[in-house]
Amino acid sequence: MADHAADERAAQRAGRTAEHPAGETNWAGNLTYRARAVRRPESLDALREELGRPGPKRMIGSRHCFNDIADTTGTLISLERMPRLLEIGEDMVRVGGGMRYGDVAEQLHARGRSLSNLASLPHISVAGAVATGTHGSGDAVGGLAAAVRAVEILTPAGELRRFERGERAFDGAVVSLGALGAVVAVELDTEPAYEVAQTVYEQPRWEAVLADLDAATSLGYSVSIFSSWRDVEVADQMWVKAKVEPGAATATAADPAVLEALGVRPADGRRHPVPGGDVEATSLQGGEPGPWHERLPHFRMNFTPSAGAELQSEYLVPRRDAVEAIRALQRLADRIAPVLMIGEVRTMTGDDHWLSPAHGGDTVGLHFTWHPDQPAVEEVLAELECELPASARPHWGKLFVMDPHRIRGLYPRWDDFVALREECDPPGALRNDYTERLGL
């Protein structure tokens, strides 16, 4: 009896309880998965065997999701021990779904190739990022899913299905929320390697930004506007990432007339998006050219950007509604600021993927990194979702409280995805509370 009690206390210290026997948490630590076991197959046959076992299951990637999208009462399956797959072709790369973008990017660059965009963190897995519609920033660049030309999915029935661009259901299989099976391989478009120079400007005036959003976000190849919303008149920083043309020593300078209108000044040193953050974790700034994969992410691959003590949300709106959406943030600034570390505005082109938050047209993302107080954050989110334009779509892997009926109405191909899910997983082995709430 005493030994059992001691074992139970040890399990609790390790995060394991009767409800959470595996003791696994997400990156932020705000969620302990209810899984009874975590499996890490090392071959396709072993993965097929795990998927075929009775009971509910979900795939788990780099765990950089802040909600229960990957949660299950059954078995979590990770691809982290699968054979490293990296096949570089003339204009494409085929990678294993469990590989991280940072690892893929370094190998691509060594072969003189590149991806068109990367997310803020290079630490995230390819399959997980694509499946949730994750993105970087750039007026002329799509989200990470836009680079996918083929995806290979092993269904719970053990069928290996390949979906290629242009084929029926391809656009349903890319941003899949983990509801179709295990993404064992992804083929991505590549282009010749390039360099990027990053410059940080401070205190852009919101009125100038909103008066000509196109001018502000086209200052570089990729532009991010950071704001703590403690001041509704000015944002904190604007990070401008500019491509360096082949043979040039520096990037083309940002339009001085636009910079003057925004009222910005170049930062006098290195900056972190979050006030007080460790600048050593950030990608190099000051206009110094460097490889694309070392400048497009905000953070460096060999540094952990934070200890994970944060929560995140993001809402994506059609570009035509972006000014209205930012005005909503200004109105709610006194509610947002007390629980916010930093917010970010980013842009991307639209795509045709059925469940992509950028489906149907050019899109602007409104990102929030919150203090780790989930009840307070969810209270603010309820107000925020009421104030945002009706077109706002929440990021699948981050915190939101939006009514599922409203979400389903934002995706014109929703019913087509439901049919594809039934086709790939008829018994519903990959269903969980998250998909049930959404009506999947």
Side-chain angles (χ1 to χ4, degrees), residues 385-398:
E385 291 173 0
C386 287
E387 288 291 320
L388 286 173
S391 57
R393 294 164 167 159
H395 188 295
W396 295 115
K398 301 183 181 182

Side-chain angles (χ1 to χ4, degrees), residues 269-291:
R270 203 143 149 209
R271 295 289 187 267
H272 191 287
V274 179
D278 181 9
V279 297
E280 288 301 311
T282 63
S283 49
L284 293 184
Q285 303 157 15
E288 179 181 338

Side-chain angles (χ1 to χ4, degrees), residues 364-381:
V364 175
L366 309 174
H367 176 86
F368 305 88
T369 298
W370 308 101
H371 290 290
D373 183 348
Q374 192 158 336
V377 168
E378 291 181 350
E379 185 177 327
V380 172
L381 291 179

Side-chain angles (χ1 to χ4, degrees), residues 162-246:
R162 178 179 169 88
F163 300 85
E164 297 184 355
R165 185 183 289 156
E167 294 181 348
R168 183 194 76 84
F170 167 78
D171 284 316
V174 177
V175 182
S176 65
L177 313 188
L180 307 182
V183 177
V184 295
V186 182
E187 287 186 11
L188 305 170
D189 294 326
T190 66
E191 58 187 77
Y194 53 91
E195 290 199 328
V196 172
Q198 177 172 237
T199 303
V200 175
Y201 297 94
E202 297 190 299
Q203 297 196 305
R205 296 187 301 110
W206 274 119
E207 284 306 311
V209 171
L210 299 181
D212 194 344
L213 184 63
D214 291 349
T217 60
S218 63
L219 280 169
Y221 180 74
S222 171
V223 174
S224 292
I225 303 172
F226 293 98
S227 183
S228 61
W229 293 109
R230 286 164 177 77
D231 187 334
V232 297
E233 301 296 328
V234 297
D236 295 31
Q237 303 170 15
M238 175 179 283
W239 290 30
V240 177
K241 304 171 193 277
K243 263 190 174 182
V244 180
E245 295 302 321

Side-chain angles (χ1 to χ4, degrees), residues 288-317:
E288 179 181 338
W292 58 280
H293 67 288
E294 294 180 1
R295 296 293 186 274
L296 290 179
H298 296 331
F299 300 100
R300 299 163 68 184
M301 181 64 180
N302 55 341
F303 281 78
T304 302
S306 78
E310 64 186 50
L311 302 172
Q312 291 184 13
S313 300
E314 186 172 31
Y315 297 90
L316 298 104
V317 298

Side-chain angles (χ1 to χ4, degrees), residues 25-310:
T25 68
N26 64 346
W27 176 81
N30 68 305
L31 176 72
T32 299
Y33 297 111
R34 295 177 296 161
R36 302 203 64 81
V38 181
R39 305 297 186 195
R40 297 174 175 86
E42 300 181 10
S43 68
L44 190 63
D45 286 341
L47 174 60
R48 183 178 280 111
E49 181 179 349
E50 292 296 343
L51 284 169
R53 293 182 188 276
K57 53 194 69 71
R58 289 291 285 178
M59 305 304 301
I60 190 168
S62 51
R63 308 183 189 213
H64 204 263
C65 285
F66 297 80
N67 57 34
D68 60 345
I69 188 171
D71 197 16
T72 181
T73 56
T75 302
L76 288 173
I77 302 176
S78 168
L79 302 183
E80 62 187 2
R81 294 181 184 170
M82 292 285 285
R84 290 175 65 86
L85 171 64
L86 185 67
E87 299 173 355
I88 301 175
E90 183 177 351
D91 62 352
M92 55 75 69
V93 60
R94 180 170 176 258
V95 304
M99 293 188 68
R100 300 181 300 173
Y101 270 97
D103 297 325
V104 173
E106 290 178 356
Q107 295 295 318
L108 272 179
H109 187 73
R111 295 277 294 273
R113 302 299 295 176
S114 70
L115 301 174
S116 62
N117 214 342
L118 291 170
S120 299
L121 294 174
H123 311 72
I124 57 179
S125 69
V126 174
V130 166
T132 54
T134 299
H135 60 90
S137 184
D139 280 4
V141 189
L144 301 182
V148 176
R149 61 165 59 183
V151 61
E152 298 170 31
I153 296 177
L154 186 65
T155 71
E159 180 186 7
L160 184 59
R161 298 192 57 176
R162 178 179 169 88
F163 300 85
E164 297 184 355
R165 185 183 289 156
E167 294 181 348
R168 183 194 76 84
F170 167 78
D171 284 316
V174 177
V175 182
S176 65
L177 313 188
L180 307 182
V183 177
V184 295
V186 182
E187 287 186 11
L188 305 170
D189 294 326
T190 66
E191 58 187 77
Y194 53 91
E195 290 199 328
V196 172
Q198 177 172 237
T199 303
V200 175
Y201 297 94
E202 297 190 299
Q203 297 196 305
R205 296 187 301 110
W206 274 119
E207 284 306 311
V209 171
L210 299 181
D212 194 344
L213 184 63
D214 291 349
T217 60
S218 63
L219 280 169
Y221 180 74
S222 171
V223 174
S224 292
I225 303 172
F226 293 98
S227 183
S228 61
W229 293 109
R230 286 164 177 77
D231 187 334
V232 297
E233 301 296 328
V234 297
D236 295 31
Q237 303 170 15
M238 175 179 283
W239 290 30
V240 177
K241 304 171 193 277
K243 263 190 174 182
V244 180
E245 295 302 321
T250 60
T252 302
D255 188 329
V258 175
L259 295 177
E260 182 179 1
L262 293 171
V264 296
R265 61 177 183 271
D268 60 6
R270 203 143 149 209
R271 295 289 187 267
H272 191 287
V274 179
D278 181 9
V279 297
E280 288 301 311
T282 63
S283 49
L284 293 184
Q285 303 157 15
E288 179 181 338
W292 58 280
H293 67 288
E294 294 180 1
R295 296 293 186 274
L296 290 179
H298 296 331
F299 300 100
R300 299 163 68 184
M301 181 64 180
N302 55 341
F303 281 78
T304 302
S306 78
E310 64 186 50

